[in-house]
Amino acid sequence: MFLRVSETGCMMVHAQKKREAVHRMDKESASLLPGVCALLADSAKPPPDDTSLEKLLDRLTELSEAGVSLPESCPCLLDFISATASGSTSDPSILSFALKLGGLLSADEDGYRALQARSALEAMFSVERWKDSGPWDDPCVRIGWVHGLRRMLLHPEALAFFVRSDFIKPLLQLQSDPSMFVASAANQLLAHILLAAQPEEDERPGSETSAEHLALVQQASDHIKESLVPKEGAPLAGSLQVLKLLALILDRARRPLREQLLKAAAASLEELADAGCSQLTAVLMDVIMAAYSSTDSGDDLTGRLLSSMLNGSKADDLVRAAAAFLRRGGLRASRDAVRTSRAVRILLLPLRFVTEHPSLGAAPVADEHHGIMAAQLESKSSFISTVCVCLRNAPQVALMPSDVLPCPPAAIVLSIVALLKVCNGGTTSSSSSSSLRNGCRTETFRCIVNSGRVQKSALEALASLSGSPGANSTMNEVSDILVQYMSNPDSDPTVLQKSYKAFVQWMSVCTDLSAIPLQLREALRTVVEKRACDPRWEVRDSTVEFLGQLPRVTSLKSADEALLSERRTAPLLREALRDPESYVRASAVSALARGLGTELPQEQADTVSRLLDILREDTEGFARRAVVRYFMAWFSSCPLPPPPAPSLLTESVRTVLSRGSRDLDWEVKVNTLELAELLLDAAFSDHGRRNGTGRHPYATPDAQAAEPAFDSTMSSLLDQGVFAALLSSLADCDRPVALKACELLIATRDRIHVAGASTSGVSCELPRRGWGKEIRKLLKNEADDGERVGVREVLAALGLDDRRVLLSQSSDHVHNSFQSLLQDILSAGVTLGGPDEDDGQGVVVDCY
């Protein structure tokens, strides 16, 4: 694209300026930081709001990561931590901030030594102190303790300090913390510590370090062993956290640690597997599969656990266990084909139960678990959930090796088609009289008929299965059920949208569209014409999107195979341009853009006229943005830049640039500048071709000879309104717009310079008001309003490089500075702590 030549250099300059700003910001704020630390350490002063404290920590972290030594540059931070450790404040938010700050400073060598010399780390992270004085009861203190330790452990000596201080005990207690955030953070920290402390596979057990680490791992192993199985009447949250911890560690542990943890947890894991606790099934399988996947062959423990999970007595547990096995162990199918085959049959069981498709699961698995599926009908929500798990995993199953599949992949596709028929109120051809007699089929249908959840899952699965082996042989059955769903007046808008998506997906892989019956084609045409007028705007929107997508997919085939010709869809799309809903109008514009080049001249003129009306009059930005993108697509589709003679495209582009650059929506203006960028690219590329300069159209061997042609190119861009759009956008109040315009003007200026052209004869006239007045201010031009200005002189005099640096910064870079943050904290502290703090007047503090 147009700007990429200098993009890397700009990024390097920006990064250098950012580094310089970090150091400069630190110096400017150094005089304020001691006052802030004193305020925070003063228990008589109310603490700042939590947002300010978090932002202060973020700023200090940025300084540290930029290479600034905080202990050396800001010794007041050490004093603040020492004062807090000695008990100068008991406010939970201040203490939490101090714990996190202590971790940040101690991750650095200078800070670690300085805090150790003051004995501040031991005092700061002593849990017993905070328990005795009360702050530990606040979850923000506990989370501060965990986060502080996690940061401190970046220092190589911090693990030994952790072990000596016996911090493992409170950390283990936090695994079952009532706060989900604290428990999760503690889980992550414990996993990090155990993985850091684990011995190497060849490490000698007699070393001092090894002994400390082994003791640490032993404590954690004992905790896991005792906490895995929930006590009678106790909540499952504790067991859930421990299982998550085990899965996290086993995924990355080396053999000694993995074996020790599994040995400690073996009995508890087997008890949980036999208990069949549905709430723990998914995470328990994560643990089993983490252990199973990390060994070369399934050992006795993982084998027993897998067998137990794949032989459960509850259908939902069985299907979820099979899904987890295939998700994490699918690559091991060749090594464990027996279990993989069993898991596949279990996973397909809900489909076979509903549709009674004979190929999906032969005995013994299907017959063995038929009663389990029937028992689950007692809970409609649970039954539906199990069916949806099956559907979500069906596409993966269809891609598995044929030796573990009970049927061809095409049978899975046809079974989902049968399921969709049942959901739509139909029946399957394979319904057996025995099932109907015992009422099981009736109850099954009652559960899933008109179930939007099942329909959506089935349609998503069907879309994904379009690329499965042998799927093309089921094209007619799939097309027929999808058109049925499109035709059903009771279809939920989301279900209809997924039907459209699946249909497009299948048509994109169809090798012979002519094989689709004529009756089905006519039904499709009738459906979309009716749906385009549906009273629900979501349905109209999905239909318009479908009308834009399907011709593009079928255009890859021969013209005779088209299911919906653009001659039939274009009138519907043009009518949708007048839809009362802005989303539908925007979708219609996008759909028309995909069919560019197929309309007759008069039809295209009518469409363009309506699009320009939308750009001028539409109250919603969605549609106006789509219009600009339409003209971008139209211009990009042209094989050559527009000729000098006026055409519908060139005249339209001039209008789009003029209107789009004045739009109230900043995204419309940015899109307009992207259109201007396309015009610049095309103009300069064409200039290069005409001068025979190949890939470098600006580096002409004879600049003087090329100058008239270059001036002609510049004049053409002026006539098209490109420079007017760029200059007006440079003065725009929306920063992204001004930045984009500035970058394009810089690139244009550089191209003029490389070409060596003076462009002396190319000038433009600035308007008297608005952006023309603003540009004159930038140029310090006191000339009469009607005076023309040279393009080259304007580009040289605007100070574009400095302006780009300024625009590259965030819009609030002056106020959202470290110095401003510190000033706000000090101001708020003085005001809140003053004699008038109860006068009812709120304190206005900048939000960061």
Side-chain angles (χ1 to χ4, degrees), residues 799-815:
L800 293 172
D801 295 306
D802 291 339
R803 193 167 185 81
R804 176 168 59 183
V805 171
L806 183 64
L807 291 169
S808 296
Q809 300 174 8
S810 62
S811 58
D812 59 349
H813 69 279
V814 175
H815 302 289

Side-chain angles (χ1 to χ4, degrees), residues 22 25 258 376 436 480 628 712:
V22 166
M25 181 170 56
R258 184 173 61 248
Q376 200 180 17
L436 291 171
D480 182 64
V628 179
S712 175

